């Protein structure tokens, strides 16, 4: 609040982080996707995640940075942000938060790729 965020914004951010912990805790080895599985996005996911975002996830997975379970956590948390348009920069922040929450070691080049200076977190209502 000292930085100028409203109480409602702070509550929403904390709720989103709690959701990340809850979803990550509820994933069991039997429900995690196999390494060779192919991800088919639903219509809602395609509407919320641009081709750039979906391509970035596929690239990160093929490069061995993400496992299927991480991809699913990232998609779930992106879909939880109903009032935001998920840009590639926003998705990168979600990827970073999921990997940190999962305590994954990351190469500094990957961290550099995920960190961005662009400020695109403006509120943009979406039609769902």
């Amino acid at each position: 609040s000292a930085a100028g965020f409203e109480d409602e914004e702070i509550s929403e951010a904390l709720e989103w982080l709690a959701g990340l912990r809850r979803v990550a805790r509820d994933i069991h080895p039997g429900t995690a996707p196999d390494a060779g599985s192919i991800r088919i996005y639903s219509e809602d996911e395609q509407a919320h995640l641009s081709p750039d975002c979906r391509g970035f996830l596929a690239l990160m997975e093929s490069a061995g940075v993400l496992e299927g379970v991480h991809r699913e956590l990232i998609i779930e948390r992106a879909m939880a942000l109903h009032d935001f348009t998920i840009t590639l920069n926003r998705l990168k922040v979600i990827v970073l938060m999921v990997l940190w929450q999962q305590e994954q070691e990351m190469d500094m080049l990957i961290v550099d790729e995920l960190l961005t200076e662009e400020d695109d977190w403006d509120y943009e209502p979406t039609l769902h």
Side-chain angles (χ1 to χ4, degrees):
S1 62
F5 293 100
E6 299 291 328
D7 288 343
E8 184 177 334
E9 292 172 317
I10 295 169
S11 294
E12 288 173 358
L14 292 174
E15 184 178 313
W16 187 90
L17 288 169
L20 173 57
R21 284 190 302 275
R22 183 179 56 255
V23 171
R25 181 190 64 230
D26 291 344
I27 292 180
H28 304 287
T31 61
D34 291 334
S37 65
I38 296 174
R39 179 61 154 90
I40 306 294
Y41 290 86
S42 72
E43 287 184 28
D44 287 342
E45 291 168 340
Q46 289 180 40
H48 203 60
L49 298 169
S50 71
D52 286 343
C53 291
R54 297 188 310 265
F56 182 76
L57 289 175
L59 175 67
M60 296 292 280
E61 193 171 359
S62 69
V65 175
L66 297 178
E67 295 178 12
V69 66
H70 300 131
R71 178 195 63 224
E72 294 306 311
L73 283 170
I74 292 162
I75 293 168
E76 192 280 333
R77 290 289 80 202
M79 295 300 291
L81 295 171
H82 302 289
D83 294 333
F84 290 93
T85 299
I86 303 300
T87 63
L88 184 55
N89 288 332
R90 289 179 181 164
L91 183 72
K92 288 178 180 183
V93 172
I94 295 169
V95 169
L96 192 59
M97 293 177 77
V98 166
L99 293 177
W100 276 341
Q101 191 274 336
Q102 294 286 295
E103 298 179 359
Q104 293 294 305
E105 287 189 34
M106 290 180 276
D107 184 277
M108 286 310 296
L109 292 174
I110 298 300
V111 173
D112 285 344
E113 174 64 28
L114 294 174
L115 293 174
T116 180
E117 295 181 13
E118 293 181 39
D119 183 17
D120 63 1
W121 280 96
D122 296 332
Y123 178 81
E124 300 173 31
T126 56
L127 301 174
H128 289 287

